[in-house]
Amino acid sequence: PSFLQNRINSGQVNNYGFSNPGSIVIDEAGHRMFVVDSNNHRVLVFNLDPNSNNLLDLNADFVLGQANFNSGLRNGHGAFNNITAGRFSSPSGVAFNGSGAQKILYVSDQNNSRVLAFDVTGNIENGEPAVEVIGQINLTSNAAGTSQSKLREPRGLAYDADRNILFIADANNHRVVGFNPDTKAFEYLLGQ
């Protein structure tokens, strides 16, 4: 690596370059690091050393949001027209719930006004679909809204394991909401 280089994707979409990386979260027990790669509309997954949780190498081992490491950049910053359970449009935040039997990775899908939840308990496969959606009625809709169940361009995420609450920075609604994964409801509202 060169600390003097700043090329998007290190020249091409691959398993080690980024285009506007965002949030990072580490699954210490599972020895993985998840990095949001916003402008490539994906999350890169790096395996970590099981003894020290240090990076094994500089290459991602898996990708979420894309079928493979060589796809991702869409007209620079363009949104996807094909809304699916496994694709993002400018993801920006990431949080990890490793407190229960099921390990869940939450990713804010900014331009689709939703948060996707991925079951990362076992092995991860490239392009695997989300198992749950927050802020939309199903995994294939993306209508923004201002209500007790809708989001408008969510960004930052934080998971509070003690209270089992996912906090979502609902950016264009100018608020922070707290979502309970068990009840599937917003339980906190800050800023309004």
Side-chain angles (χ1 to χ4, degrees), residues 55-163:
L55 285 168
L56 293 170
D57 56 42
L58 302 179
N59 298 318
D61 298 287
F62 304 99
V63 61
L64 296 173
Q66 296 293 329
N68 58 58
F69 292 114
N70 303 110
S71 59
L73 195 63
R74 300 285 191 265
N75 299 324
H77 303 282
F80 289 109
N81 293 324
N82 183 17
I83 308 302
T84 71
R87 295 181 81 179
F88 303 118
S89 180
S90 297
S92 57
V94 66
F96 180 73
N97 174 1
S99 61
Q102 196 176 30
K103 311 305 180 207
I104 302 294
L105 179 73
Y106 296 102
V107 181
S108 60
D109 188 10
Q110 183 177 328
N111 289 345
N112 285 323
S113 293
R114 64 185 184 172
V115 174
L116 294 178
F118 293 85
D119 182 350
V120 294
T121 306
N123 295 330
I124 296 172
E125 294 185 21
N126 289 341
E128 75 178 64
V131 295
E132 185 178 342
V133 64
I134 302 165
Q136 296 295 328
I137 59 170
N138 59 45
L139 286 161
T140 58
S141 56
N142 68 347
T146 305
S147 70
Q148 196 169 352
S149 61
K150 296 291 248 173
L151 300 169
R152 187 178 301 278
E153 295 192 17
R155 294 187 186 152
L157 301 175
Y159 179 73
D160 181 344
D162 292 337
R163 292 178 195 78

Side-chain angles (χ1 to χ4, degrees), residues 24 45 70 119 177:
I24 299 169
V45 184
N70 303 110
D119 182 350
V177 294

